[in-house]
Amino acid sequence: MNVLAIDVGGTHVKILATGQRQHTELASGPTLTPKKMIAGVKKLARDWKYDVVAMGYPGPVLHGRPVAEPHNLGRGWVGFNYAKAFRRPVKIVNDAAMQALGSYRGEKMLFLGLGTGLGTTMIVDGIVEPMELAHLPYRKATYEDYVGLRGLLKFGKKKWRKHVEDVVAKLAAALEVDDIVLGGGNATKLEKLPPGCRVGYNANAFLGGFRLWKGVRKRKARGT
């Protein structure tokens, strides 16, 4: 079974299929609708063979369906028939959940995606639990306002890094996790990782997409 994994982000949509060595991408942004996304993906993947689709969606997903419009994209994502548009079976999860699944090694793991926004997911004994923590109150705004892209641009790298360390410490203490993975494009902007953390690379989103269809083989090795 060949899987087409799609990672929908606020600035790019990245895709990779089983057997391909290099991902490809198209631009994203406030005008991107699901119709435009699928047309672009089909064009990029026209020479790839795939039987099913796995999609990481930048918003809450319930029972495999988006339940709220994304903050950083166009409208029309809720209620859209993705399987009909792709003419393939489609599994959809939150984008942070897909990257978290690709980063998972076992036990109780917290994934924090430092990208355009803040993606949050827990995985406990192989069970994925997406969490919408980004818009919960933190200081004078929300977690996302301080450690997402807006926070990085507003506060600068030095203060942003301190906010990341503080948020990680608070969530780690509250959730009592065994493993913390920091992913997303801005994780590379950290000079050093907060205690107990490892880097989750963006490419793990594709592995997570493949695992949605093929399952996960857990291992308990720690470290980067």
Side-chain angles (χ1 to χ4, degrees), residues 4 15 17 24 39-50:
L4 175 64
I15 67 171
T24 187
V41 167
K42 283 184 174 180
K43 184 177 180 180
L44 290 175
R46 61 186 177 274
D47 296 325
W48 295 355
K49 294 181 179 180
Y50 56 96

Side-chain angles (χ1 to χ4, degrees), residues 122-144:
M122 286 273 291
I123 302 183
V124 182
D125 295 331
I127 305 300
V128 181
E129 293 290 347
M131 306 173 76
E132 290 296 321
L133 303 180
H135 304 292
L136 293 180
Y138 175 73
R139 298 199 175 190
K140 296 181 179 180
T142 68
Y143 284 116
E144 184 170 278

Side-chain angles (χ1 to χ4, degrees), residues 63-92:
H63 304 307
R65 298 173 180 270
V67 294
E69 297 291 340
H71 289 275
N72 303 306
L73 303 178
R75 305 293 92 182
W77 297 82
V78 175
F80 188 85
N81 192 330
Y82 296 90
K84 182 179 179 181
F86 276 111
R87 298 182 181 179
R88 307 280 199 291
V90 179
K91 288 187 178 181
I92 303 175

